[in-house]
Amino acid sequence: MASILDSVNQRTQLVGQNRLELLLFRLNGRQRFGINVFKVREVLQCPLLTVMPKLNSCIRGVAHIRGQTISVIDLSMAVGKRPIEDLSKCFIIISEYNRSVQGFLVHSVERIINMNWESILPPPKGAGRINYMTAVTEVDGELVEILDVERILNEISPVSTEVSAELVDASIEHNTHGRPVLVADDSSVARKQVQRALEAIGVQCVLAKDGREALNMLLEMAKNGPIKDQIALVISDIEMPEMDGYTFTAEIRNNPNLKDLHVILHTSLSGVFNQAMVQKVGANNFIAKFQPDELAKAVQGAL
């Protein structure tokens, strides 16, 4: 299985081209799921797990891998399905999200596919397990679900969205002139986290589910006058269906009516992110999720 990821580090050329590579896997049953390869460190046959007391029920145990102790989360249980059985025949996907490393227990891992973000679509309304999907796509005539990992992790180990009292007090000195911040993120949990953090410092938010929706909102606003009179700045995730954050930022910079907007890329791609790509597309700042004080400071600095 190591060979399936032996060239992950050579794939950064996909960044900025609205493309991604998905690692396909299955839980219980035939349904396929996908995870962005940029989030994946390696895939391993499930090692012997040590069961620890008082762990969340979705954590099957911890594994010692390359000198690091990693919690192994049963993804099937995390989305409300039955536990994965016979761990000796299963795999764990070692991934990095939001500055932390964890293992996701899956039944089987298939292959990596190269796709365009335009082929990654928001989940259909009324779809099953809607709360745990950020997007869907089609591979070989079958539906592939892309899970809202940020929601899953937040349910297992909630992150604080509280901004420190010092920053809240300091925000009194900053006047946004009533202009909101546009927040683009495909995860409903991530959008709410950003919104709570910014509202604590007196900044209102306009929310968009992906880069395409956010760009359309900006273009509509620009018809009513200078965009900087209406939007203070933009905070965008990178991984989003239809249009990723890199492409969204590049579209802003290439549009004469939007090009002066301050753009912060805010993403869970903390371990594999290439700072050069931020400069390439013209973003002003990059912040790995989720540190409310760091985000608040960046917004206050931009304002």
Side-chain angles (χ1 to χ4, degrees), residues 15-281:
V15 177
Q17 300 177 19
N18 210 36
R19 300 192 67 83
L20 80 158
E21 288 187 317
L22 285 179
L23 173 63
L24 301 182
F25 61 91
R26 298 181 192 266
L27 302 177
N28 287 312
R30 297 184 57 186
Q31 177 61 50
R32 281 175 168 170
F33 298 87
I35 183 173
N36 192 334
V37 168
F38 277 106
K39 297 286 183 68
V40 178
R41 284 190 170 188
E42 59 183 320
V43 177
L44 302 171
Q45 193 82 34
C46 185
L48 182 65
L49 301 182
T50 301
V51 179
M52 305 289 287
K54 298 183 180 180
L55 290 177
N56 184 284
S57 60
C58 295
I59 300 178
R60 299 293 292 271
V62 298
H64 298 280
I65 299 173
R66 309 194 194 289
Q68 188 173 11
T69 300
I70 296 174
S71 297
V72 176
I73 299 168
D74 188 327
L75 267 188
S76 183
M77 293 182 67
V79 297
K81 298 170 70 68
R82 60 187 174 87
I84 294 175
E85 301 176 354
D86 195 358
L87 302 190
S88 64
K89 297 181 180 179
C90 297
F91 295 86
I92 58 172
I93 300 172
I94 307 299
S95 69
E96 184 164 357
Y97 276 84
N98 299 356
R99 311 185 191 211
S100 67
V101 177
Q102 53 279 311
F104 295 124
L105 180 68
V106 301
H107 181 270
S108 60
V109 176
E110 294 188 358
R111 68 185 194 273
I112 290 174
I113 57 171
N114 185 314
M115 300 195 71
N116 193 299
W117 274 109
E118 292 179 352
S119 301
I120 311 295
L121 303 175
K125 294 182 179 179
R129 297 190 301 284
I130 189 73
N131 288 336
Y132 293 101
M133 283 191 291
T134 57
V136 296
T137 190
E138 185 177 299
V139 177
D140 301 332
E142 294 184 10
L143 184 74
V144 174
E145 297 183 17
I146 301 175
L147 294 174
D148 188 346
V149 176
E150 291 177 65
R151 184 183 187 95
I152 292 171
L153 293 177
N154 191 59
E155 289 184 355
I156 294 173
S157 180
V159 300
S160 173
T161 59
E162 296 295 323
V163 177
S164 65
E166 296 80 14
L167 284 175
V168 172
D169 292 340
S171 67
I172 299 174
E173 302 175 6
H174 296 268
N175 187 351
T176 66
H177 304 287
R179 295 173 299 159
V181 168
L182 175 61
V183 178
D185 201 303
D186 61 337
S187 169
S188 60
V189 168
R191 290 195 300 271
K192 291 175 182 176
Q193 288 173 341
V194 173
Q195 185 175 27
R196 282 195 291 268
L198 296 191
E199 287 182 348
I201 60 171
V203 178
Q204 298 302 308
C205 297
V206 176
L207 306 178
K209 298 187 296 295
D210 56 61
R212 178 75 66 189
E213 182 180 64
L215 180 62
N216 289 339
M217 291 170 66
L218 290 176
L219 292 174
E220 283 298 314
M221 291 179 186
K223 295 178 181 179
N224 300 320
I227 192 64
K228 293 188 73 175
D229 290 344
Q230 304 174 66
I231 291 290
L233 58 93
V234 173
I235 299 174
S236 176
D237 188 19
I238 290 178
E239 295 182 286
M240 295 182 289
E242 297 198 87
M243 179 181 289
D244 69 9
Y246 291 122
T247 305
F248 173 44
T249 304
E251 290 287 337
I252 289 175
R253 292 296 176 246
N254 291 330
N255 187 301
N257 295 321
L258 308 178
K259 63 182 180 65
D260 293 328
L261 279 170
H262 189 98
V263 178
I264 298 173
L265 290 177
H266 186 236
T267 176
S268 56
L269 285 168
S270 54
V272 292
F273 177 75
N274 184 351
Q275 185 70 31
M277 295 312 304
V278 173
Q279 299 172 357
K280 178 180 177 180
V281 299

